[in-house]
Structures are given as C-alpha cells and as structure tokens.
Amino acid sequence: MHEYSIVQSLLESCEEHARVNEAKKVTKVIVKIGVLSGVEPDLLQTAFDTFKEQTVCHNALFIINHQKIVIECFDCNTTSTLEKHEFSCPSCQSVNIKVIDGEDMFLMSLEME
C-alpha cells in the first residue's frame, strides 16, 4: 500500500507550508486524485486519518476531488472527459488520443491558521 508513503510525503509538505507561512495548524487539505493515478482514495483517507496525529494537520479536514480521464483527440482536435475507461474519442471514435488529465495526484490547496 503506497498510500501510506504518499500520506507521509503529503504531511511533510503540509508541515513545510505551515512553517513557511508561520501557521500553527492546517485546517483543510484538498487533493485531486486522477482515476488512473494508482492511488486508492479510501486507503489514502485511512492513511491520512492514521498519520495526521501529532502533526499540524491533526484536526484538518481532508477532501479528495476525483479527476476523471480527460483526453485530447489528434484526429478531430476535441478535448473530452471519458465517462468509461474506453480509450477512444467520443466524437469520432478515433484511438489517436492523448490523456491530458486523470493520471496524477496533486495537493490542490491548504487552509491554515
């Protein structure tokens, strides 16, 4: 379960941002997780809840935004959000596509006091 190591890095990042901004605590952490990122949201939530104790995030609300797969079609030049894991353009059915979102996990924002 690499979610635990992800949370360790996330908490270290929160600690650093709090220190740089002279904040005493983090009240909200918002992340974006792509469906192709390989990160399991439920496990990430559990890991965050487990490891946030004794950190600046100990009472922080953890919000996960799920990012669907967004593709760009090279044949018809459209950008589409896929509702299913069918990797073809919904407009022209071409498979000459590039995934432009939905593969990563990002720390989107922090609220601090």
Side-chain angles (χ1 to χ4, degrees):
M1 289 191 299
H2 66 288
E3 284 77 8
Y4 290 107
S5 61
I6 292 170
V7 165
Q8 294 284 1
S9 294
L10 179 62
L11 290 170
E12 288 172 9
S13 181
C14 291
E15 294 273 354
E16 179 63 24
H17 285 295
R19 189 170 28 260
V20 167
N21 291 284
E22 299 178 1
K24 298 203 182 328
K25 63 181 177 178
V26 174
T27 58
K28 187 186 289 184
V29 178
I30 302 174
V31 297
K32 178 176 88 169
I33 300 175
V35 296
L36 296 177
S37 68
V39 176
E40 183 61 45
D42 292 337
L43 293 176
L44 191 71
Q45 179 72 57
T46 300
F48 185 84
D49 291 342
T50 300
F51 291 113
K52 72 179 183 176
E53 301 302 321
Q54 309 299 317
T55 72
V56 294
C57 296
H58 67 278
N59 287 324
L61 180 62
F62 188 58
I63 298 173
I64 299 173
N65 294 327
H66 302 273
Q67 175 61 51
K68 292 183 178 181
I69 304 163
V70 179
I71 61 163
E72 182 179 324
C73 179
F74 293 115
D75 290 341
C76 69
N77 294 318
T78 58
T79 300
S80 305
T81 300
L82 300 181
E83 296 301 320
K84 299 178 183 175
H85 292 249
E86 296 172 355
F87 290 87
S88 62
C89 176
S91 298
C92 71
Q93 282 65 52
S94 171
V95 293
N96 189 17
I97 60 170
K98 175 174 96 172
V99 175
I100 57 173
D101 203 354
E103 296 181 301
D104 301 308
M105 177 185 154
F106 293 106
L107 172 59
M108 299 302 290
S109 68
L110 295 175
E111 289 184 12
M112 299 177 269
E113 291 180 357

